[in-house]
Amino acid sequence: MLNGGALPGAPFIFLAALGLGETVAGLRPVKESWSATISVVEDAGRPWWLWLHVLSLDAVLVALVAQEAFAWSAGATLSGIERGILALCAWLAYCGDRLLDARRLKGPVDSARHEFARMHTNPLSVAWGLGLLGVVILAGQLPRSELLAGGALAAGVCGYFFLQHHKKMLALAGRVKEFMAGVGFAAWTLFFVLMKAPFSMPLALLGIAWACICSLNCLLIAGWDRARDRAMGQHSMARQWPGMETALPRLAMAPLLLAGAAPVLEVALLPLAVALAGSALALLELARRAPEMDPELRRVWADAVLWVPVFILW
């Protein structure tokens, strides 16, 4: 899910203004069988369930579902502007990240999302510019307090992008990439909720559980993409941790324990706690079944299982 980042509210404006770009050296296409490459290149041959992933909309849905579920549980009222900013920023970040990767690809690759960006760079770039304009317009309507807090969050996001995309820092920062991305994504999705909801320890525990789940999602996908990342010159925790898959059940205990503790302190948070625990368990089941699944399908499912909190909103 989190190969790029989405910053809710005004923070993304500051990040975009910096013009931070991909500086990874030695990027080259993954060399798989030609028949596999052809199946990715042809848009018409993609199954319907892959399009959310290809168009960078899967992470947008995850972000909106999490934002809404936490807001409902915390009793926070969000405006359409705040929801719109999160949606646009999530798409801008993920689409932008793929465009930056695609411009350095010399030919077809076996990643559907990167291949689509490579083949449709110009229209996606135009859409990206329009999306950024939309964020600027919406962010201008935010209260001053959210703009200032967003600036502080933006500083952290800028630090993440600098570490992950600077030539000299890339290898070192890649050792904790998935952890940083997961925590960052959780912070971005909960930004407006935390600005409006009163602080409570049970809600904080669930927020940390959500960050753990996002990190697990990133780590799981990075494990599947070891060979691809190696070929593209990308660094990740999974590449530095060969036995990562065997540790996933132990890592998943953290969000499960946190989700279990929160409703003990505040019973009203039980539905959200159950939903987050369900996402963590679904990730574990997906990790178990992944070797038998189509590579693109399992990436789609890795994000889809994070939509479980949507059920508490019905």
Side-chain angles (χ1 to χ4, degrees), residues 72-73 202-203 206 259-274:
W72 179 82
S73 300
L203 187 63
L206 291 183
V264 173
L265 300 175
E266 187 175 340
V267 69
L269 294 177
L270 180 60
L272 179 58
V274 171

Side-chain angles (χ1 to χ4, degrees), residues 21-158:
E22 179 69 64
T23 59
V24 180
L27 194 62
R28 61 184 184 279
V30 179
K31 297 184 178 179
E32 298 285 345
S33 66
W34 184 248
S35 60
T37 299
I38 291 297
S39 66
V40 175
V41 174
E42 297 178 357
D43 290 347
R46 292 194 178 99
W48 63 268
W49 46 261
L50 189 57
W51 280 103
L52 283 178
H53 182 64
V54 166
L55 296 174
S56 302
L57 295 175
D58 45 0
V60 174
L61 291 178
V62 171
L64 289 175
V65 165
Q67 182 190 57
E68 203 67 29
F70 272 86
W72 179 82
S73 300
T77 301
L78 300 177
S79 68
I81 291 175
E82 291 159 340
R83 294 184 178 95
I85 287 175
L86 176 61
L88 282 174
C89 287
W91 184 82
L92 284 169
Y94 280 88
C95 180
D97 183 67
R98 290 167 184 178
L99 284 172
L100 287 172
D101 287 341
R103 69 180 183 176
R104 289 170 171 79
L105 297 175
K106 305 302 182 182
V109 293
D110 71 338
S111 169
R113 61 188 188 274
H114 288 98
E115 181 62 17
F116 184 84
R118 189 185 72 84
M119 294 291 292
H120 304 284
T121 299
N122 290 337
L124 283 176
S125 297
V126 172
W128 196 94
L130 293 174
L132 180 59
L133 177 61
V135 170
V136 173
I137 294 173
L138 292 177
Q141 304 176 55
L142 292 175
R144 181 179 176 84
S145 60
E146 292 183 359
L147 287 172
L148 293 175
L153 183 58
V157 173
C158 290

